[in-house]
mmCIF file of all heavy atoms in Angstrom:
data_model
loop_
_atom_site.group_PDB
_atom_site.id
_atom_site.type_symbol
_atom_site.label_atom_id
_atom_site.label_comp_id
_atom_site.label_asym_id
_atom_site.label_seq_id
_atom_site.Cartn_x
_atom_site.Cartn_y
_atom_site.Cartn_z
ATOM 1 N N ILE Y 22 0.804 -1.210 0.020
ATOM 2 C CA ILE Y 22 0.020 -0.022 0.006
ATOM 3 C C ILE Y 22 0.870 1.263 0.016
ATOM 4 O O ILE Y 22 0.635 2.200 -0.782
ATOM 5 C CB ILE Y 22 -0.973 0.029 1.224
ATOM 6 C CG1 ILE Y 22 -1.853 -1.213 1.173
ATOM 7 C CG2 ILE Y 22 -1.769 1.252 1.228
ATOM 8 C CD1 ILE Y 22 -2.772 -1.305 0.017
ATOM 9 N N VAL Y 23 1.861 1.305 0.859
ATOM 10 C CA VAL Y 23 2.699 2.545 1.014
ATOM 11 C C VAL Y 23 3.965 2.387 0.175
ATOM 12 O O VAL Y 23 4.786 1.495 0.346
ATOM 13 C CB VAL Y 23 3.052 2.733 2.486
ATOM 14 C CG1 VAL Y 23 3.967 3.985 2.619
ATOM 15 C CG2 VAL Y 23 1.799 2.896 3.324
ATOM 16 N N ASN Y 24 4.156 3.338 -0.765
ATOM 17 C CA ASN Y 24 5.366 3.304 -1.577
ATOM 18 C C ASN Y 24 6.482 4.168 -0.873
ATOM 19 O O ASN Y 24 6.189 5.229 -0.342
ATOM 20 C CB ASN Y 24 5.138 3.861 -2.978
ATOM 21 C CG ASN Y 24 4.476 5.218 -2.996
ATOM 22 O OD1 ASN Y 24 3.426 5.398 -2.367
ATOM 23 N ND2 ASN Y 24 5.000 6.210 -3.713
ATOM 24 N N THR Y 25 7.694 3.626 -0.887
ATOM 25 C CA THR Y 25 8.791 4.321 -0.195
ATOM 26 C C THR Y 25 9.902 4.521 -1.204
ATOM 27 O O THR Y 25 10.001 3.808 -2.202
ATOM 28 C CB THR Y 25 9.317 3.533 0.969
ATOM 29 O OG1 THR Y 25 9.806 2.231 0.519
ATOM 30 C CG2 THR Y 25 8.257 3.252 2.049
ATOM 31 N N TYR Y 26 10.703 5.496 -0.933
ATOM 32 C CA TYR Y 26 11.917 5.794 -1.726
ATOM 33 C C TYR Y 26 13.140 5.863 -0.798
ATOM 34 O O TYR Y 26 13.170 6.680 0.080
ATOM 35 C CB TYR Y 26 11.804 7.075 -2.563
ATOM 36 C CG TYR Y 26 12.984 7.360 -3.480
ATOM 37 C CD1 TYR Y 26 13.130 6.721 -4.642
ATOM 38 C CD2 TYR Y 26 14.046 8.179 -3.033
ATOM 39 C CE1 TYR Y 26 14.196 6.924 -5.455
ATOM 40 C CE2 TYR Y 26 15.131 8.389 -3.822
ATOM 41 C CZ TYR Y 26 15.233 7.743 -5.025
ATOM 42 O OH TYR Y 26 16.303 7.958 -5.852
ATOM 43 N N ASN Y 27 14.047 4.944 -1.025
ATOM 44 C CA ASN Y 27 15.207 4.742 -0.101
ATOM 45 C C ASN Y 27 14.742 4.590 1.324
ATOM 46 O O ASN Y 27 15.259 5.090 2.246
ATOM 47 C CB ASN Y 27 16.181 5.985 -0.203
ATOM 48 C CG ASN Y 27 17.594 5.627 0.087
ATOM 49 O OD1 ASN Y 27 17.939 4.454 0.231
ATOM 50 N ND2 ASN Y 27 18.451 6.602 0.225
ATOM 51 N N TYR Y 28 13.619 3.788 1.433
ATOM 52 C CA TYR Y 28 13.059 3.340 2.697
ATOM 53 C C TYR Y 28 12.465 4.518 3.508
ATOM 54 O O TYR Y 28 12.329 4.337 4.757
ATOM 55 C CB TYR Y 28 14.104 2.510 3.475
ATOM 56 C CG TYR Y 28 14.523 1.294 2.692
ATOM 57 C CD1 TYR Y 28 15.670 1.306 1.924
ATOM 58 C CD2 TYR Y 28 13.668 0.177 2.571
ATOM 59 C CE1 TYR Y 28 16.058 0.209 1.188
ATOM 60 C CE2 TYR Y 28 14.039 -0.908 1.804
ATOM 61 C CZ TYR Y 28 15.239 -0.876 1.106
ATOM 62 O OH TYR Y 28 15.614 -1.946 0.308
ATOM 63 N N GLU Y 29 12.043 5.561 2.853
ATOM 64 C CA GLU Y 29 11.233 6.599 3.530
ATOM 65 C C GLU Y 29 9.990 6.832 2.649
ATOM 66 O O GLU Y 29 10.039 6.681 1.432
ATOM 67 C CB GLU Y 29 12.025 7.855 3.644
ATOM 68 C CG GLU Y 29 13.282 7.809 4.584
ATOM 69 C CD GLU Y 29 13.983 9.152 4.751
ATOM 70 O OE1 GLU Y 29 13.537 10.079 4.074
ATOM 71 O OE2 GLU Y 29 14.979 9.200 5.436
ATOM 72 N N ASN Y 30 8.878 7.094 3.307
ATOM 73 C CA ASN Y 30 7.643 7.293 2.609
ATOM 74 C C ASN Y 30 7.875 8.314 1.439
ATOM 75 O O ASN Y 30 8.455 9.353 1.652
ATOM 76 C CB ASN Y 30 6.557 7.823 3.506
ATOM 77 C CG ASN Y 30 6.006 6.674 4.373
ATOM 78 O OD1 ASN Y 30 6.497 5.595 4.462
ATOM 79 N ND2 ASN Y 30 4.860 6.973 5.011
ATOM 80 N N ASP Y 31 7.381 7.952 0.270
ATOM 81 C CA ASP Y 31 7.664 8.755 -0.942
ATOM 82 C C ASP Y 31 6.459 9.691 -1.166
ATOM 83 O O ASP Y 31 5.382 9.248 -1.525
ATOM 84 C CB ASP Y 31 7.813 7.856 -2.121
ATOM 85 C CG ASP Y 31 8.340 8.573 -3.365
ATOM 86 O OD1 ASP Y 31 8.441 9.820 -3.313
ATOM 87 O OD2 ASP Y 31 8.640 7.961 -4.411
ATOM 88 N N TYR Y 32 6.710 10.976 -1.001
ATOM 89 C CA TYR Y 32 5.656 12.004 -1.243
ATOM 90 C C TYR Y 32 6.028 12.810 -2.507
ATOM 91 O O TYR Y 32 5.529 13.940 -2.672
ATOM 92 C CB TYR Y 32 5.488 12.899 -0.065
ATOM 93 C CG TYR Y 32 4.960 12.076 1.146
ATOM 94 C CD1 TYR Y 32 5.699 12.028 2.285
ATOM 95 C CD2 TYR Y 32 3.738 11.490 1.106
ATOM 96 C CE1 TYR Y 32 5.260 11.291 3.432
ATOM 97 C CE2 TYR Y 32 3.279 10.742 2.237
ATOM 98 C CZ TYR Y 32 4.035 10.648 3.321
ATOM 99 O OH TYR Y 32 3.574 9.927 4.416
ATOM 100 N N PHE Y 33 6.912 12.223 -3.318
ATOM 101 C CA PHE Y 33 7.215 12.881 -4.612
ATOM 102 C C PHE Y 33 6.461 12.122 -5.733
ATOM 103 O O PHE Y 33 5.823 12.747 -6.547
ATOM 104 C CB PHE Y 33 8.731 12.840 -4.893
ATOM 105 C CG PHE Y 33 9.095 13.390 -6.244
ATOM 106 C CD1 PHE Y 33 9.242 14.739 -6.407
ATOM 107 C CD2 PHE Y 33 9.258 12.570 -7.322
ATOM 108 C CE1 PHE Y 33 9.561 15.280 -7.683
ATOM 109 C CE2 PHE Y 33 9.597 13.049 -8.573
ATOM 110 C CZ PHE Y 33 9.736 14.457 -8.780
ATOM 111 N N ASN Y 34 6.565 10.792 -5.714
ATOM 112 C CA ASN Y 34 5.821 10.017 -6.687
ATOM 113 C C ASN Y 34 4.459 9.638 -6.089
ATOM 114 O O ASN Y 34 4.327 8.727 -5.326
ATOM 115 C CB ASN Y 34 6.580 8.703 -7.029
ATOM 116 C CG ASN Y 34 6.029 7.997 -8.219
ATOM 117 O OD1 ASN Y 34 5.184 8.539 -8.957
ATOM 118 N ND2 ASN Y 34 6.427 6.762 -8.435
ATOM 119 N N LEU Y 35 3.487 10.444 -6.398
ATOM 120 C CA LEU Y 35 2.211 10.413 -5.765
ATOM 121 C C LEU Y 35 1.169 9.649 -6.594
ATOM 122 O O LEU Y 35 0.012 10.065 -6.680
ATOM 123 C CB LEU Y 35 1.694 11.846 -5.498
ATOM 124 C CG LEU Y 35 2.581 12.639 -4.495
ATOM 125 C CD1 LEU Y 35 2.322 14.145 -4.622
ATOM 126 C CD2 LEU Y 35 2.355 12.151 -3.083
ATOM 127 N N LYS Y 36 1.625 8.506 -7.096
ATOM 128 C CA LYS Y 36 0.704 7.670 -7.886
ATOM 129 C C LYS Y 36 0.195 6.565 -7.006
ATOM 130 O O LYS Y 36 0.872 6.055 -6.145
ATOM 131 C CB LYS Y 36 1.490 7.043 -9.087
ATOM 132 C CG LYS Y 36 1.968 8.084 -10.082
ATOM 133 C CD LYS Y 36 0.868 8.782 -10.841
ATOM 134 C CE LYS Y 36 1.401 9.628 -11.948
ATOM 135 N NZ LYS Y 36 2.120 10.814 -11.491
ATOM 136 N N PRO Y 37 -1.059 6.130 -7.226
ATOM 137 C CA PRO Y 37 -1.582 4.920 -6.558
ATOM 138 C C PRO Y 37 -0.783 3.688 -7.000
ATOM 139 O O PRO Y 37 0.084 3.780 -7.897
ATOM 140 C CB PRO Y 37 -3.083 4.842 -7.093
ATOM 141 C CG PRO Y 37 -3.385 6.231 -7.488
ATOM 142 C CD PRO Y 37 -2.128 6.831 -8.025
ATOM 143 N N PRO Y 38 -1.029 2.511 -6.348
ATOM 144 C CA PRO Y 38 0.007 1.488 -6.427
ATOM 145 C C PRO Y 38 -0.170 0.438 -7.493
ATOM 146 O O PRO Y 38 0.664 -0.502 -7.577
ATOM 147 C CB PRO Y 38 -0.213 0.773 -5.053
ATOM 148 C CG PRO Y 38 -1.671 0.947 -4.791
ATOM 149 C CD PRO Y 38 -2.019 2.247 -5.379
ATOM 150 N N LEU Y 39 -1.088 0.562 -8.490
ATOM 151 C CA LEU Y 39 -1.268 -0.502 -9.452
ATOM 152 C C LEU Y 39 -0.024 -0.841 -10.273
ATOM 153 O O LEU Y 39 0.303 -2.032 -10.448
ATOM 154 C CB LEU Y 39 -2.420 -0.195 -10.383
ATOM 155 C CG LEU Y 39 -2.856 -1.319 -11.289
ATOM 156 C CD1 LEU Y 39 -3.391 -2.518 -10.474
ATOM 157 C CD2 LEU Y 39 -3.950 -0.850 -12.264
ATOM 158 N N SER Y 40 0.698 0.170 -10.695
ATOM 159 C CA SER Y 40 1.915 -0.086 -11.482
ATOM 160 C C SER Y 40 2.999 -0.714 -10.667
ATOM 161 O O SER Y 40 3.786 -1.552 -11.121
ATOM 162 C CB SER Y 40 2.433 1.196 -12.116
ATOM 163 O OG SER Y 40 2.728 2.170 -11.124
ATOM 164 N N TYR Y 41 3.042 -0.391 -9.371
ATOM 165 C CA TYR Y 41 3.997 -1.034 -8.487
ATOM 166 C C TYR Y 41 3.669 -2.468 -8.270
ATOM 167 O O TYR Y 41 4.587 -3.319 -8.209
ATOM 168 C CB TYR Y 41 4.045 -0.336 -7.088
ATOM 169 C CG TYR Y 41 4.061 1.192 -7.070
ATOM 170 C CD1 TYR Y 41 3.339 1.910 -6.134
ATOM 171 C CD2 TYR Y 41 4.770 1.852 -8.072
ATOM 172 C CE1 TYR Y 41 3.378 3.308 -6.140
ATOM 173 C CE2 TYR Y 41 4.809 3.211 -8.090
ATOM 174 C CZ TYR Y 41 4.083 3.961 -7.071
ATOM 175 O OH TYR Y 41 4.058 5.281 -7.114
ATOM 176 N N TRP Y 42 2.395 -2.815 -8.247
ATOM 177 C CA TRP Y 42 1.993 -4.211 -8.091
ATOM 178 C C TRP Y 42 2.397 -4.984 -9.422
ATOM 179 O O TRP Y 42 2.735 -6.135 -9.371
ATOM 180 C CB TRP Y 42 0.488 -4.287 -7.953
ATOM 181 C CG TRP Y 42 0.032 -3.670 -6.612
ATOM 182 C CD1 TRP Y 42 0.755 -3.351 -5.493
ATOM 183 C CD2 TRP Y 42 -1.325 -3.349 -6.269
ATOM 184 N NE1 TRP Y 42 -0.018 -2.777 -4.603
ATOM 185 C CE2 TRP Y 42 -1.316 -2.774 -4.953
ATOM 186 C CE3 TRP Y 42 -2.543 -3.422 -6.934
ATOM 187 C CZ2 TRP Y 42 -2.479 -2.345 -4.304
ATOM 188 C CZ3 TRP Y 42 -3.721 -2.971 -6.309
ATOM 189 C CH2 TRP Y 42 -3.645 -2.430 -5.021
ATOM 190 N N GLY Y 43 2.362 -4.289 -10.519
ATOM 191 C CA GLY Y 43 2.843 -4.907 -11.747
ATOM 192 C C GLY Y 43 4.311 -5.256 -11.668
ATOM 193 O O GLY Y 43 4.738 -6.357 -12.118
ATOM 194 N N ILE Y 44 5.138 -4.400 -11.124
ATOM 195 C CA ILE Y 44 6.540 -4.648 -10.948
ATOM 196 C C ILE Y 44 6.731 -5.787 -9.971
ATOM 197 O O ILE Y 44 7.589 -6.723 -10.235
ATOM 198 C CB ILE Y 44 7.224 -3.347 -10.407
ATOM 199 C CG1 ILE Y 44 7.241 -2.295 -11.505
ATOM 200 C CG2 ILE Y 44 8.630 -3.714 -9.906
ATOM 201 C CD1 ILE Y 44 7.709 -0.911 -11.000
ATOM 202 N N ILE Y 45 5.969 -5.802 -8.866
ATOM 203 C CA ILE Y 45 6.065 -6.881 -7.898
ATOM 204 C C ILE Y 45 5.708 -8.218 -8.487
ATOM 205 O O ILE Y 45 6.350 -9.242 -8.187
ATOM 206 C CB ILE Y 45 5.184 -6.522 -6.651
ATOM 207 C CG1 ILE Y 45 5.751 -5.332 -5.953
ATOM 208 C CG2 ILE Y 45 5.033 -7.742 -5.742
ATOM 209 C CD1 ILE Y 45 4.789 -4.742 -4.913
ATOM 210 N N LEU Y 46 4.645 -8.236 -9.363
ATOM 211 C CA LEU Y 46 4.351 -9.444 -10.029
ATOM 212 C C LEU Y 46 5.488 -10.024 -10.847
ATOM 213 O O LEU Y 46 5.741 -11.211 -10.844
ATOM 214 C CB LEU Y 46 3.132 -9.214 -10.948
ATOM 215 C CG LEU Y 46 2.737 -10.374 -11.870
ATOM 216 C CD1 LEU Y 46 2.256 -11.550 -11.027
ATOM 217 C CD2 LEU Y 46 1.621 -9.934 -12.877
ATOM 218 N N GLY Y 47 6.216 -9.137 -11.489
ATOM 219 C CA GLY Y 47 7.412 -9.573 -12.295
ATOM 220 C C GLY Y 47 8.443 -10.176 -11.338
ATOM 221 O O GLY Y 47 9.081 -11.176 -11.645
ATOM 222 N N PHE Y 48 8.707 -9.544 -10.247
ATOM 223 C CA PHE Y 48 9.653 -10.040 -9.252
ATOM 224 C C PHE Y 48 9.267 -11.431 -8.734
ATOM 225 O O PHE Y 48 10.063 -12.340 -8.569
ATOM 226 C CB PHE Y 48 9.808 -9.090 -8.034
ATOM 227 C CG PHE Y 48 10.463 -7.764 -8.409
ATOM 228 C CD1 PHE Y 48 10.226 -6.679 -7.653
ATOM 229 C CD2 PHE Y 48 11.318 -7.689 -9.479
ATOM 230 C CE1 PHE Y 48 10.881 -5.414 -7.886
ATOM 231 C CE2 PHE Y 48 11.953 -6.472 -9.771
ATOM 232 C CZ PHE Y 48 11.701 -5.359 -8.989
ATOM 233 N N LYS Y 49 7.974 -11.589 -8.496
ATOM 234 C CA LYS Y 49 7.507 -12.877 -7.982
ATOM 235 C C LYS Y 49 7.572 -13.975 -9.037
ATOM 236 O O LYS Y 49 7.822 -15.181 -8.700
ATOM 237 C CB LYS Y 49 6.035 -12.735 -7.474
ATOM 238 C CG LYS Y 49 5.977 -12.002 -6.165
ATOM 239 C CD LYS Y 49 4.537 -11.961 -5.612
ATOM 240 C CE LYS Y 49 4.435 -11.260 -4.230
ATOM 241 N NZ LYS Y 49 5.080 -11.998 -3.207
ATOM 242 N N LEU Y 50 7.390 -13.615 -10.287
ATOM 243 C CA LEU Y 50 7.448 -14.620 -11.329
ATOM 244 C C LEU Y 50 8.864 -14.986 -11.720
ATOM 245 O O LEU Y 50 9.206 -16.165 -11.940
ATOM 246 C CB LEU Y 50 6.737 -14.050 -12.615
ATOM 247 C CG LEU Y 50 5.156 -14.006 -12.510
ATOM 248 C CD1 LEU Y 50 4.631 -13.310 -13.797
ATOM 249 C CD2 LEU Y 50 4.572 -15.380 -12.393
ATOM 250 N N PHE Y 51 9.743 -14.026 -11.805
ATOM 251 C CA PHE Y 51 11.090 -14.255 -12.325
ATOM 252 C C PHE Y 51 12.229 -13.913 -11.482
ATOM 253 O O PHE Y 51 13.363 -13.987 -11.876
ATOM 254 C CB PHE Y 51 11.223 -13.432 -13.662
ATOM 255 C CG PHE Y 51 10.140 -13.602 -14.670
ATOM 256 C CD1 PHE Y 51 9.214 -12.574 -14.960
ATOM 257 C CD2 PHE Y 51 9.985 -14.818 -15.319
ATOM 258 C CE1 PHE Y 51 8.210 -12.786 -15.835
ATOM 259 C CE2 PHE Y 51 8.978 -15.050 -16.282
ATOM 260 C CZ PHE Y 51 8.071 -14.008 -16.526
ATOM 261 N N GLY Y 52 11.947 -13.443 -10.226
ATOM 262 C CA GLY Y 52 13.029 -13.011 -9.380
ATOM 263 C C GLY Y 52 13.338 -11.568 -9.646
ATOM 264 O O GLY Y 52 12.866 -10.974 -10.623
ATOM 265 N N VAL Y 53 14.196 -10.952 -8.797
ATOM 266 C CA VAL Y 53 14.516 -9.580 -8.913
ATOM 267 C C VAL Y 53 15.525 -9.320 -10.013
ATOM 268 O O VAL Y 53 16.642 -9.856 -10.020
ATOM 269 C CB VAL Y 53 15.085 -8.996 -7.582
ATOM 270 C CG1 VAL Y 53 15.539 -7.572 -7.712
ATOM 271 C CG2 VAL Y 53 14.072 -9.103 -6.484
ATOM 272 N N SER Y 54 15.125 -8.534 -10.992
ATOM 273 C CA SER Y 54 16.025 -8.174 -12.126
ATOM 274 C C SER Y 54 15.451 -7.027 -12.891
ATOM 275 O O SER Y 54 14.260 -6.706 -12.687
ATOM 276 C CB SER Y 54 16.226 -9.348 -13.047
ATOM 277 O OG SER Y 54 15.009 -9.651 -13.719
ATOM 278 N N ILE Y 55 16.175 -6.443 -13.794
ATOM 279 C CA ILE Y 55 15.664 -5.435 -14.640
ATOM 280 C C ILE Y 55 14.569 -5.964 -15.551
ATOM 281 O O ILE Y 55 13.513 -5.318 -15.754
ATOM 282 C CB ILE Y 55 16.818 -4.707 -15.400
ATOM 283 C CG1 ILE Y 55 17.756 -4.022 -14.490
ATOM 284 C CG2 ILE Y 55 16.206 -3.756 -16.455
ATOM 285 C CD1 ILE Y 55 18.976 -3.441 -15.207
ATOM 286 N N PHE Y 56 14.805 -7.109 -16.077
ATOM 287 C CA PHE Y 56 13.802 -7.755 -16.946
ATOM 288 C C PHE Y 56 12.488 -7.943 -16.261
ATOM 289 O O PHE Y 56 11.372 -7.584 -16.769
ATOM 290 C CB PHE Y 56 14.279 -9.138 -17.436
ATOM 291 C CG PHE Y 56 13.246 -9.855 -18.242
ATOM 292 C CD1 PHE Y 56 13.205 -9.700 -19.653
ATOM 293 C CD2 PHE Y 56 12.396 -10.729 -17.645
ATOM 294 C CE1 PHE Y 56 12.220 -10.400 -20.409
ATOM 295 C CE2 PHE Y 56 11.394 -11.425 -18.395
ATOM 296 C CZ PHE Y 56 11.344 -11.238 -19.742
ATOM 297 N N SER Y 57 12.527 -8.510 -15.050
ATOM 298 C CA SER Y 57 11.276 -8.743 -14.325
ATOM 299 C C SER Y 57 10.591 -7.463 -13.884
ATOM 300 O O SER Y 57 9.358 -7.369 -13.898
ATOM 301 C CB SER Y 57 11.562 -9.630 -13.080
ATOM 302 O OG SER Y 57 12.467 -8.981 -12.240
ATOM 303 N N MET Y 58 11.338 -6.385 -13.637
ATOM 304 C CA MET Y 58 10.784 -5.046 -13.344
ATOM 305 C C MET Y 58 10.018 -4.538 -14.467
ATOM 306 O O MET Y 58 8.939 -3.936 -14.310
ATOM 307 C CB MET Y 58 11.898 -4.119 -12.849
ATOM 308 C CG MET Y 58 11.393 -2.758 -12.499
ATOM 309 S SD MET Y 58 12.773 -1.596 -12.232
ATOM 310 C CE MET Y 58 13.310 -1.352 -13.904
ATOM 311 N N ARG Y 59 10.564 -4.700 -15.680
ATOM 312 C CA ARG Y 59 9.916 -4.130 -16.914
ATOM 313 C C ARG Y 59 8.902 -5.049 -17.563
ATOM 314 O O ARG Y 59 8.229 -4.658 -18.480
ATOM 315 C CB ARG Y 59 11.042 -3.797 -17.892
ATOM 316 C CG ARG Y 59 11.924 -2.654 -17.501
ATOM 317 C CD ARG Y 59 13.133 -2.513 -18.420
ATOM 318 N NE ARG Y 59 13.866 -1.249 -18.146
ATOM 319 C CZ ARG Y 59 15.031 -1.006 -18.595
ATOM 320 N NH1 ARG Y 59 15.736 -1.909 -19.365
ATOM 321 N NH2 ARG Y 59 15.671 0.136 -18.373
ATOM 322 N N PHE Y 60 8.759 -6.305 -17.045
ATOM 323 C CA PHE Y 60 8.012 -7.296 -17.660
ATOM 324 C C PHE Y 60 6.521 -6.851 -17.787
ATOM 325 O O PHE Y 60 5.880 -6.986 -18.858
ATOM 326 C CB PHE Y 60 8.063 -8.591 -16.859
ATOM 327 C CG PHE Y 60 7.051 -9.661 -17.352
ATOM 328 C CD1 PHE Y 60 7.347 -10.409 -18.485
ATOM 329 C CD2 PHE Y 60 5.869 -9.843 -16.619
ATOM 330 C CE1 PHE Y 60 6.424 -11.364 -18.905
ATOM 331 C CE2 PHE Y 60 4.990 -10.828 -17.109
ATOM 332 C CZ PHE Y 60 5.263 -11.587 -18.224
ATOM 333 N N TYR Y 61 5.949 -6.223 -16.763
ATOM 334 C CA TYR Y 61 4.568 -5.925 -16.824
ATOM 335 C C TYR Y 61 4.231 -4.844 -17.847
ATOM 336 O O TYR Y 61 3.177 -4.840 -18.508
ATOM 337 C CB TYR Y 61 4.046 -5.450 -15.415
ATOM 338 C CG TYR Y 61 4.189 -3.968 -15.143
ATOM 339 C CD1 TYR Y 61 3.107 -3.120 -15.267
ATOM 340 C CD2 TYR Y 61 5.424 -3.461 -14.782
ATOM 341 C CE1 TYR Y 61 3.206 -1.777 -14.980
ATOM 342 C CE2 TYR Y 61 5.552 -2.112 -14.542
ATOM 343 C CZ TYR Y 61 4.457 -1.259 -14.643
ATOM 344 O OH TYR Y 61 4.573 0.082 -14.391
ATOM 345 N N SER Y 62 5.167 -3.967 -18.072
ATOM 346 C CA SER Y 62 5.009 -2.908 -19.090
ATOM 347 C C SER Y 62 5.002 -3.530 -20.488
ATOM 348 O O SER Y 62 4.178 -3.202 -21.343
ATOM 349 C CB SER Y 62 6.058 -1.865 -18.944
ATOM 350 O OG SER Y 62 5.782 -0.926 -17.997
ATOM 351 N N ALA Y 63 6.005 -4.392 -20.688
ATOM 352 C CA ALA Y 63 6.130 -5.032 -22.004
ATOM 353 C C ALA Y 63 4.889 -5.917 -22.305
ATOM 354 O O ALA Y 63 4.340 -5.909 -23.403
ATOM 355 C CB ALA Y 63 7.392 -5.924 -22.052
ATOM 356 N N LEU Y 64 4.446 -6.598 -21.290
ATOM 357 C CA LEU Y 64 3.213 -7.433 -21.482
ATOM 358 C C LEU Y 64 1.998 -6.546 -21.724
ATOM 359 O O LEU Y 64 1.165 -6.869 -22.584
ATOM 360 C CB LEU Y 64 2.974 -8.292 -20.173
ATOM 361 C CG LEU Y 64 1.750 -9.172 -20.258
ATOM 362 C CD1 LEU Y 64 1.844 -10.205 -21.371
ATOM 363 C CD2 LEU Y 64 1.556 -9.893 -18.927
ATOM 364 N N SER Y 65 1.903 -5.427 -21.064
ATOM 365 C CA SER Y 65 0.766 -4.482 -21.250
ATOM 366 C C SER Y 65 0.719 -3.985 -22.686
ATOM 367 O O SER Y 65 -0.334 -3.956 -23.301
ATOM 368 C CB SER Y 65 0.869 -3.331 -20.262
ATOM 369 O OG SER Y 65 0.700 -3.741 -18.946
#
């Protein structure tokens, strides 16, 4: 629910979390990497 930047609450990027959930989905599917982070965008 809460997005952080460098482990502090982020009040600069004030977007709701759906795109972050897409990134997390990539991490859960393929592990942490640049490919998995970008996967949801490419799929979209």
Side-chain angles (χ1 to χ4, degrees):
I22 302 298
V23 178
N24 54 306
T25 61
Y26 182 81
N27 210 8
Y28 300 98
E29 295 183 359
N30 283 12
D31 190 355
Y32 297 118
F33 178 84
N34 193 12
L35 296 162
K36 298 289 188 292
L39 188 63
S40 59
Y41 314 144
W42 296 345
I44 292 171
I45 292 168
L46 174 64
F48 290 157
K49 287 184 177 291
L50 289 174
F51 306 112
V53 174
S54 68
I55 295 175
F56 175 90
S57 57
M58 180 189 71
R59 291 170 170 166
F60 172 78
Y61 88 102
S62 278
L64 180 62
S65 295

